[in-house]
Amino acid sequence: MKSIPILIVGGLLASVMASLPALGQQPVELTFVVTEGEYSAQFRGILDLYEEENPNVTINLSSVNEDTEAAFEARIAAGGAPYIRDLVYPDADNYKTYVNLLERDDIENFGALSYDGAGAFEGVTGIDGVQPALNVRTNPFRSFIYYADEMEKAGLDPKSIQNLDDFMQFLADLKVYVDGNPDIEYVIDAGWLPGAWGRFNPEVWSVGLGATKQEIRDLYTGKIRWDDVDKNPMTKYFRTLKEFYDKGYMPERWWTRNWEQEFEASFISRRSILTFHGPWLFDKVQAVDADAQLDGFFWPPNRDGKIWGPEVTSDYGSVLYAQRQDDPEFAEAVKLFNWWNSPATVKLRSEAIGFVPAMDLSSVGGADLTNDQYVKVIKPVLDGQVYGGAKFDYSLCGRCAAERMRISGTPRPLQDNQMAEIYADYLEGRTTLEDTLAILQKRWERAYQAG
Amino acid sequence: MERKKRLKNLSIAAILAFYCAISLVPFYFLVIRSFTPTLKSGEFYFWIPERPEVQMNARLGNLASVNNIDITKLKKDFGLKGYIDPRLTLQQLAERQGIDAGELEEYLRPFIQYNGIFVVLSNGFLKSLWGTIVVAGSSVAIGGFLGIMTGTALAGFRRPWHLFVYNSYLLNMIVPPMMVILPQYFIVTQFLGLQDSYFAIVLLHIKGGALSTMVFTTYIAAIPKSLRESVAMDGGKHYHYFWYILLPLMGTPFAIFASIMMPLFWNDLLLGLLFLSPEKYTLPAFVATLGGAYGRNFEAVFSGVLMSLIPILVVYFIFQKLFIRSAMAGAVKG
Amino acid sequence: MAQVSFNKVRKSFGRTEVVHGIDLEINSGELTVLLGPSGCGKSTLLRMIAGLEDVTDGDIYIDGEYINDTDASQRGCAMVFQNYALYPHQTVYKNIAFPLKMAGKDKATIDRKVREAARILQLDELLDRLPRDLSGGQRQRVAMGRAMIRQPKVYLFDEPLSNLDAELRGKMRLEIARLQRKLNATMVFVTHDQVEAMTLADRVVVMHDGIIEQVGAPLAVYQRPTNRFVAGFVGTPAMNFLAVERAELGNESTKIILTGGELLTLPYKVVGEPKVLGVRPEHVRIGAHAGAVAVRIDPFELLGTEHLGDRSYRYFTVPFGELTVLGADNDAALPRGTPAFADFDADNVHFFDHAGKVIQRGQGQSAIAGERT
């Protein structure tokens, strides 16, 4: 009896000792970090192919998310960077962490990109001769998403929408249906996420409401003042948002609703049948209900006949860590990096997780995208089948265009949690549109310096 | 009078029962949540909701992304080779790979129906649990032992520098752990070479802690000096006093120390994420990685929290007496 | 059995010297009591023997062996502490066995010796108890058992009876005395209780302010104090001290004039210059008739009487000071208003000079000379 505590302590000590790092070298171990943890299985399946071809290589795949990001950054700061990370947003503050791909002569695939991949970072930030990431994706498309079967029940056909007036009428009709249907609560479901309501939605909706991407770039780069109610291309966005809110289209105090557990969950459980979202909601719905009839549509084209399209920049690209550049295994890491971004692999990647490649894949027969967002929403536009053959405007977003003016370390004018309060004050009538735009002008002045 | 007294006792019991109930309610909902599919987490359930069925026309990739189905493991379990296209539905997978669809359905049913529990179990929960036991157990055992040694040296502050040492330990309390995390990482990984090692975390847990120093120093100072002198008179050396007399008297302060530090060590997220590779993650780090960029398997997160709570509850029940004694220490003269 | 010798032993705590150069021999097989008020250095002296305090200066020998630098555990002393210092989580058996365990004795030997000690101390029934389940006296006996189990050269007692109630204290005193005789051991006993000292000691060492005031047999210290401190400290109630205004020294007699002008004629010669006269309560009487050596007291007042059953003490204020007097209970009350006399037992009157040292009387005069040891 007496020896039991000693045994326990001894056992613990022994296992601590056993966990000390084993000496001796494995052939090659490459650390590979992904940001989209939910696609780990898909990525693993693809990386397995590489390991099969290169038996000396072991790829340690791990993922980083919101909760683990801080520890991951700390680890890098202290010298513990991995070799490769996928899905990175390089900017003027952090690009030095990554290898400048232009300085190396062994980086492949820039030539296969369908945009100026080598100059993309400079194009956004104005930093000369640097390209920290290689991005093979068209950034995610954002559209209205709806349950086709539910719309049919409601007697509504979103596909018949041709212009803004049709859209507004459609919403009004849907509102009537929602009011008469106790199972459905909202016309346009929504929740709070600073990225959605700070980065994308204001620009996408503004373009949908008639503005051009160029005007938004002018707004962000200081050519149009935010508090200039007449010229600000977002004025209509804020007015419409208030109109929607006042008409009861959107959930009460939607800026306080948790994105995933309240907003997405309420759409998935069909307490709403229409929302505005990126591609992931399709996956989530269909994992729960494989038979769900999801469909979607973009905002009607603006006055130039263009539909908002996602810009293609270095964002979402993959990177090599500068810290690792002198490692003996770095050549192996570059080899894997090149393979990861080669047309054959990009084809598998885009098919596996459903992004539109920003790369010419004709050499490997093109990507066969079967996900609903692509097939039902994006492809019809690409094929010229909706809105009278309107095309996407893939040009730089306003926020992207202003990156080179940003004062390092400041929050961007719309993209933070404080924005939720600004929305709240405005939508609940405590501030006027003018007040709100004046606040945004101040926030813009704090974040950017002209020139 | 008797009646009045009974009424009083009854109402006290009722109040305590109510208090007990509201303390236990969060645990109850944790259990419910561990069985509530993530995408139904918008709803409020008082009882475990209906279990979802396996849908054979669900795409493999969606199941992997939302329900954390491990495709690599599935491949191994069914002896499949080559690349599995995640766009395939389960039905298509069964047809193309020549697997019996019913068998596949049976295989996946527990993963779908008890998704949280199975995701947690199949992603290395037991390994994480063992890692956490090793880390938290060694930290408490070694930390307590070192605390007792420190306390023995400092008790009574017989020299001016004792107080200085003591105060410098207490300073630990006001230094936020995040402030020193980078230097610590440097020292531990670069100078000590302890990458990806449980020992690194144990080392950081047991380094001079404010609480252990305070508790043990105070407690040891209260032990009559004559006990130590008595051992000397009885022919014992200092280590005899430490081993035979002091250590057995340290039950109560050790329980105080352990009952406060054990949960902290058990739930330490930061050091686990920082020093360990995913294969060796301790429980909190393991649970934290269940999220992705656009979604998070909350059913699995709650299951992970629930399952990592169970071992520490077991520890508490086993050592209940000791912990109660530590809680009573000072209140009742023993 | 061992002899302990002190040679000019000094002890300082920081800058404060608390023991000022002690020379002392503690005889083998004797029970020596270190007696003195608190803070006199007696405990420090004991702890220096034990090795629990360093010796600042001077030498200590046990059986001629220089032990200043010897570790406490190696000196062969055993100690009984004021609070007994029993190991709280160990049974009586284990407490008593502890010194043997430290000495590395085998289990059989330990068991035999523990049981033997327990029998001597009547602890047989209590061996499995924990200290917290014992009474004060039982704890005391366990402490004794732990001390004697190793047959130490010297037993050291640091006020071991002060935590006991009066009845038990008396009992334990006898027990210690009995044990001392039985073991024929060298014991050093520290106390501030003079009754303990008187009843237990073979020799008493009276200490005050870090020096030894007097060493001697208990009765000798009582009857022949060498200075005013010892005279005042030993004995309850304390000795009466009367200031001497003037003394006229003759060859056959001494005339003492007290502060009230009263004249006291003693039938012997005093050598020196007496400043204080000391007399114990049992050596002075107050009555209506003057005796051989008497002074008239007028006025006087009876402050109170302390009845102890077999005897009583009465406290008076008199013109030359205050007097405590022993009297039988059936003493007739002094008649009010009539003159009274204080009657001194000339053979038991002590004189002290201005430094408080005792003044010797002339030769051949004392009736108690025969009692000198």
Side-chain angles (χ1 to χ4, degrees), chain C residues 243-305:
Chain C
V244 174
E245 183 73 33
R246 195 153 48 84
E248 288 173 15
L249 310 179
N251 269 341
E252 294 299 320
S253 67
T254 308
K255 286 182 177 163
I256 301 292
I257 293 98
L258 297 171
T259 48
E262 297 83 353
L263 178 70
L264 193 65
T265 306
L266 294 161
Y268 46 76
K269 176 183 173 185
V270 173
V271 188
E273 204 177 316
K275 286 290 177 196
V276 174
L277 179 154
V279 63
R280 293 203 181 275
E282 63 265 36
H283 297 136
V284 61
R285 287 173 51 86
I286 286 186
H289 307 286
V293 182
V295 290
R296 187 186 157 104
I297 46 173
D298 186 25
F300 69 93
E301 191 187 344
L302 178 62
L303 290 175
T305 307

Side-chain angles (χ1 to χ4, degrees), chain A residues 158-177:
Chain A
K159 292 280 177 188
S160 68
I161 295 169
Q162 288 305 314
N163 51 45
L164 218 46
D165 292 339
D166 292 353
F167 177 59
M168 293 300 176
Q169 186 56 48
F170 162 74
L171 291 180
D173 294 344
L174 182 57
K175 170 73 176 153
V176 173
Y177 176 71

Side-chain angles (χ1 to χ4, degrees), chain B residues 286-301:
Chain B
F286 166 71
V287 171
T289 53
L290 290 172
Y294 313 114
R296 179 170 305 241
N297 189 339
F298 281 104
E299 188 178 350
V301 169

Side-chain angles (χ1 to χ4, degrees), chain C residues 100-120:
Chain C
L100 294 179
K101 190 169 162 188
M102 289 297 101
K105 294 278 191 282
D106 63 273
K107 276 191 171 171
T109 313
I110 292 177
D111 191 64
R112 186 169 48 74
K113 292 199 167 189
V114 170
R115 292 193 187 282
E116 188 188 327
R119 191 178 44 74
I120 294 172

